[in-house]
Amino acid sequence: MGNKKIGGFGIEIKKLYKIFGPNGADCVKLVEQGVTKTELNAKHGHVLGLRDINISMPAGGIQVIMGLSGSGKSTLIRHINRLIDPTSGEVVIGDEDVVKMDAVQLREFRRHQTAMVFQKFALLPHRTVLENTLYGLEIQGAPRNRQVDRAMRWIERVGLKGFESKYPNQLSGGMQQRVGLARALANDAPILLMDEAFSALDPLIRVDMQTVLLALQKEIKKTIVFITHDLDEALRLGDRIAILRDGEVVQQGTGQDIVMNPADDYIANFVREVNRSRVINVETVATALNASARELKISVPAGAKLEEAARAMTLAGENEIAVVDAAGQAIGVLTLPQAVDAMVNSQVACSTPNAKKVA
Amino acid sequence: MDWLFSFPHMDDASLRDLKKAIDEGFRGFTRAYGDGLEAIFEPLQHFLIWSERFMTQTPWPIILLLIAAVAWFASRNWKIVAGTVVTLLLIGYFDMWDDTMKTVSMIFVCTVLSIVVGIPIGIAMSRSDRVQNIVNPVLDVMQTMPSFVYLIPVVMLLGIGKVPGLIAVVIYAIPPMIRLTNLGIRLVDKDVLEAADAFGSSNWQKLKNVQMPLALPTIMAGTNQTIMMALAMVVIASMIGVQGLGQPVLKAISNQYFTLGIFNGLAIVGIAIIFDRVSQAFGARLQKHREVVHG
Ligand SMILES: Nc1ncnc2c1ncn2[C@@H]1O[C@H](COP(=O)(O)OP(=O)(O)O)[C@@H](O)[C@H]1O
Ligand SMILES: [Mg+2]
């Protein structure tokens, strides 16, 4: 029991299959041989939930799983705390395979290693904000005063101080999801699972909540698995993104990888409307240093986005900006035309006829 | 063509033998186990006697205050409390206080027994479709079988008196308790249950923290129906020795005392309305925060 070092756990999903139906296990072979989701459903009466998922989620980072409705996102995230049993495959966390745990181990694992935030909040309607927040600790059997202390701290952290004796139906959606977040964080588990946690919220509130989450993550450094169907949200939050379609991973990588090199038309369609200046890193576009670089008046750190560099150049009335590493050493130079070109030219790597047609 | 107009039935002699055999068998069972069964129900007898003594031997103003207080705490509604007090005062004024208290005591014990027995059965039903498929038809029989019919074996086993009366009333009144407990638990929001699972709740923690609290308003509706059905049995139960408002009604039927019947009948209606309003208001108060609201 207890928390091994927080953020110390990555999640390795290996060869995970999920087939819904009475004889799911027998269908794995068929699916491995290439039977499609439609065929499986029509000919064998089984629903293909997930096909051969392999994702390595970094410890202490935010892994986003993105996909349209019905692509299997919820099914996938529920395998991490085994709310759904896989048909075959492994989910390795630390050095344990969640799939092999017995009922008691699984309960302990859920109590101490994972916490979850739900799309529809799933708060206990008969309990106050405080009693909802301390639910996980209560289940763990923590002493009451510690439950209350810890819950109050998180209620304050998510900005709900003063609301602790309200009931969920007295709060707005955004506030309810703050309770959902506080409830999950109060558990102090190294892994945080968020299934479309912000999708039910109004756009402005959603951006608010993203900001809250990013600010918190700076300090808690948990391994977060975040599900969304919204690419902007995925790009803003995700250290890594995996895109799911019909139960298959069609591409994974950093947000920049996906925007710059979409694996196929499906993803190209997805990323076309994206604000590229907020996704692409300066060092991706910058050119190598030449002799004149020493005269550059302004600089941005590597890892900054194009938007930031462009703004700095416009403000300073400069045409060039140095890209510097963590030590402040210049490693490249970015010109305004380069930056603008990368921002507006979405066809760098995906000049497919299909993408143009749809536009 | 005779068989067309008169249903071809078992021949009379065999039928008579069959009935006789069953009767004999049951009588044998009664002789063998009747006393044992009575011993089992002994605590119930004590509970009944204690409760009746409390209701009839405590000075009436105290009982009146007590009932008013219960009505207040359950409903938090002055109108309901006022209605309760006025009804009880009228009942007392028309000299039906003692009989009414006996009936209230009987209903109270019957309700407690129905809750204690009914809720665990309802929980078991909600956890397993098999149990549900077995229990449901039994409940159907209990509710549709004319109550006079099952009075016979109850009386044969336990004789005439309070306990057999109570059991007959409970058999008749317990089905809604069981059904609505089952229903209430089955209707609990799947998302909330999943959240409880995700935090590592054990089955018992889920039942205690999520299912029972969220099913409570439905269970309360079951309690309300159980009380109403128990009241409906008061007159029939009085035929096998249950004291209270039923006995004067029974006397009124056999002697054609119109006014006696009406007065006692109205008293039953009066306490039925009190029970109903108070328990419904209580149910509504439970409901207040329990519905799930999204966004
Ligand atoms: N219990 C189930 N039985 C059968 N099919 C299911 C079940 N749960 C999910 N599915 C199917 O699996 C697919 C993925 O569902 P889901 O993971 O909920 O998608 P998402 O969360 O991406 O919208 C859908 O086609 C859905 O119909
Ligand atoms: Mg989903």
Side-chain angles (χ1 to χ4, degrees):
Chain A
M1 137 162 196
N3 316 302
K4 305 173 195 165
K5 53 184 179 338
I6 290 184
F9 288 167
I11 303 169
E12 297 284 337
I13 296 179
K14 294 178 195 162
K15 296 203 171 139
L16 190 72
Y17 285 83
K18 176 65 190 179
I19 294 158
F20 292 105
N23 303 315
D26 302 338
C27 296
V28 173
K29 282 260 146 40
L30 295 170
V31 174
E32 276 174 344
Q33 285 157 16
V35 173
T36 66
K37 181 169 177 165
T38 341
E39 275 174 343
L40 190 74
N41 198 359
K43 287 199 199 135
H44 306 274
H46 282 64
V47 178
L48 178 57
L50 296 172
R51 176 206 291 262
D52 196 16
I53 306 287
N54 294 282
I55 304 179
S56 172
M57 305 184 178
I62 302 184
Q63 168 76 54
V64 167
I65 313 278
M66 200 188 76
L68 298 176
S69 166
S71 56
K73 307 182 295 292
S74 297
T75 307
L76 177 54
I77 201 172
R78 276 163 180 69
H79 278 86
I80 297 174
N81 56 359
R82 233 177 86 194
L83 288 172
I84 297 179
D85 279 308
T87 308
S88 74
E90 293 175 26
V91 177
V92 180
I93 293 176
D95 45 15
E96 277 191 288
D97 185 354
V98 179
V99 178
K100 296 206 177 74
M101 291 180 182
D102 63 29
V104 176
Q105 287 173 317
L106 184 61
R107 211 156 63 210
E108 284 303 305
F109 169 77
R110 287 175 180 166
R111 284 180 186 175
H112 297 286
Q113 310 297 354
T114 66
M116 196 161 184
V117 185
F118 299 86
Q119 178 170 11
K120 293 183 192 156
F121 319 144
L123 301 175
L124 298 169
H126 62 291
R127 288 183 165 217
T128 62
V129 168
L130 175 64
E131 290 166 328
N132 264 289
T133 308
L134 55 73
Y135 186 76
L137 295 165
E138 183 186 312
I139 291 300
Q140 292 173 12
R144 178 75 188 181
N145 56 356
R146 210 177 92 219
Q147 292 174 21
V148 174
D149 282 355
R150 186 105 66 85
M152 287 304 285
R153 217 174 63 223
W154 284 110
I155 288 171
E156 200 173 332
R157 273 307 264 116
V158 299
L160 284 179
K161 195 170 189 300
F163 290 91
E164 53 275 358
S165 51
K166 293 267 189 270
Y167 286 88
N169 67 356
Q170 297 172 309
L171 304 179
S172 70
M175 287 160 93
Q176 289 188 48
Q177 196 56 305
R178 282 169 194 257
V179 181
L181 192 57
R183 173 175 69 176
L185 292 171
N187 233 19
D188 210 9
I191 293 170
L192 186 57
L193 306 173
M194 305 181 73
D195 185 7
E196 302 219 27
F198 304 155
S199 298
L201 307 176
D202 295 334
L204 283 179
I205 313 251
R206 190 187 310 176
V207 173
D208 249 16
M209 291 296 286
Q210 293 165 4
T211 313
V212 169
L213 182 65
L214 285 172
L216 283 171
Q217 172 67 350
K218 281 220 175 78
E219 134 197 355
I220 58 184
K221 299 248 181 345
K222 291 185 191 288
T223 305
I224 299 181
V225 184
F226 192 99
I227 303 279
T228 180
H229 60 248
D230 174 16
L231 184 65
D232 287 322
E233 188 167 67
L235 292 169
R236 178 147 188 241
L237 298 178
D239 294 318
R240 292 180 58 80
I241 299 174
I243 298 181
L244 225 53
R245 180 181 49 189
D246 290 343
E248 271 179 281
V249 174
V250 281
Q251 186 172 11
Q252 50 180 323
T254 63
Q256 182 179 259
D257 290 343
I258 286 167
V259 171
M260 304 271 295
N261 304 302
D264 60 16
D265 294 353
Y266 175 77
I267 299 172
N269 267 330
F270 247 127
V271 300
R272 219 158 6 89
E273 305 298 333
V274 159
N275 183 345
R276 299 161 62 84
S277 65
R278 288 191 188 159
V279 178
I280 301 174
N281 291 347
V282 285
E283 69 273 17
T284 316
V285 185
T287 43
L289 225 44
N290 54 30
S292 70
R294 248 165 276 288
E295 299 156 30
L296 295 174
K297 297 197 181 69
I298 51 174
S299 66
V300 288
K305 306 299 177 196
L306 287 180
E307 184 182 50
E308 235 173 285
R311 189 180 298 127
M313 286 189 268
T314 341
L315 278 178
E318 290 287 327
N319 256 328
E320 287 181 322
I321 193 163
V323 178
V324 297
D325 63 14
Q329 205 69 65
I331 53 171
V333 59
L334 178 69
T335 67
L336 197 52
Q338 274 174 330
V340 173
D341 186 53
M343 284 182 210
V344 298
N345 184 3
S346 64
Q347 309 305 10
V348 181
C350 57
S351 50
T352 58
N354 192 23
K356 285 204 180 93
K357 212 175 357 179
V358 183
Chain B
M1 290 298 276
D2 202 25
W3 59 270
L4 204 59
F5 292 97
S6 137
F7 201 100
H9 59 76
M10 209 167 161
D11 71 278
D12 290 338
S14 330
L15 196 60
R16 202 177 323 113
D17 287 348
L18 177 69
K19 287 179 185 164
K20 217 168 116 196
I22 295 176
D23 275 345
E24 301 271 279
F26 191 69
R27 252 186 230 120
F29 177 80
T30 307
R31 266 194 299 277
Y33 298 105
D35 291 344
L37 276 173
E38 249 172 82
I40 291 176
F41 289 116
E42 180 112 348
L44 221 50
Q45 173 103 16
H46 287 310
F47 185 21
L48 269 170
I49 291 173
W50 171 83
S51 150
E52 190 172 305
R53 201 172 285 157
F54 176 80
M55 293 302 284
T56 51
Q57 293 184 0
T58 312
W60 67 266
I62 295 179
I63 294 288
L64 189 64
L65 269 177
L66 203 67
I67 295 179
V70 170
W72 167 250
F73 282 113
S75 70
R76 299 292 160 94
N77 181 333
W78 277 117
K79 280 190 201 152
I80 290 177
V81 176
T84 302
V85 170
V86 169
T87 309
L88 286 174
L89 286 175
L90 278 173
I91 284 173
Y93 189 66
F94 285 99
D95 193 22
M96 295 180 290
W97 183 264
D98 271 3
D99 281 339
T100 303
M101 287 309 115
K102 284 176 185 162
T103 294
V104 169
S105 147
M106 173 78 187
I107 301 296
F108 171 71
V109 174
C110 163
T111 308
V112 170
L113 191 61
S114 297
I115 291 174
V116 169
V117 176
I119 288 186
I121 298 177
I123 292 173
M125 270 173 94
S126 73
R127 320 213 112 195
S128 141
D129 286 339
R130 246 202 31 242
V131 174
Q132 179 176 251
N133 292 340
I134 294 169
V135 175
N136 255 334
V138 176
L139 296 181
D140 290 338
V141 172
M142 281 161 72
Q143 280 188 299
T144 46
M145 177 81 81
S147 31
F148 288 103
V149 175
Y150 58 75
L151 281 184
I152 304 165
V154 171
V155 170
M156 281 172 73
L157 274 173
L158 300 170
I160 297 260
K162 287 187 175 57
V163 172
L166 177 73
I167 289 170
V169 174
V170 169
I171 291 176
Y172 180 73
I174 203 173
M177 194 70 233
I178 297 175
R179 282 194 213 276
L180 287 169
T181 301
N182 174 34
L183 183 72
I185 293 177
R186 281 177 185 262
L187 285 182
V188 168
D189 190 359
K190 295 281 171 295
D191 293 330
V192 178
L193 271 182
E194 186 180 49
D197 273 331
F199 280 91
S201 309
S202 62
N203 281 338
W204 166 245
Q205 285 171 325
K206 248 187 330 193
L207 184 69
K208 174 171 71 91
N209 296 329
V210 184
Q211 292 171 309
M212 285 308 279
L214 293 183
L216 205 54
T218 313
I219 294 174
M220 202 51 220
T223 314
N224 173 285
Q225 285 190 31
T226 291
I227 295 174
M228 294 300 115
M229 290 177 69
L231 270 168
M233 272 289 278
V234 162
V235 176
I236 292 174
S238 71
M239 294 172 63
I240 56 169
V242 174
Q243 293 186 316
L245 290 168
Q247 284 196 329
V249 174
L250 208 60
K251 198 158 106 194
I253 295 171
S254 40
N255 297 316
Q256 300 179 4
Y257 293 150
F258 174 66
T259 324
L260 183 69
I262 283 284
F263 276 19
N264 283 279
L266 283 176
I268 293 177
V269 172
I271 58 174
I273 292 176
I274 294 174
F275 275 128
D276 183 57
R277 291 302 129 85
V278 171
S279 62
Q280 283 211 25
F282 183 60
R285 283 209 309 125
L286 285 180
Q287 192 81 50
K288 205 166 161 208
H289 291 296
R290 283 172 211 243
E291 67 278 21
V292 177
V293 185
H294 300 306

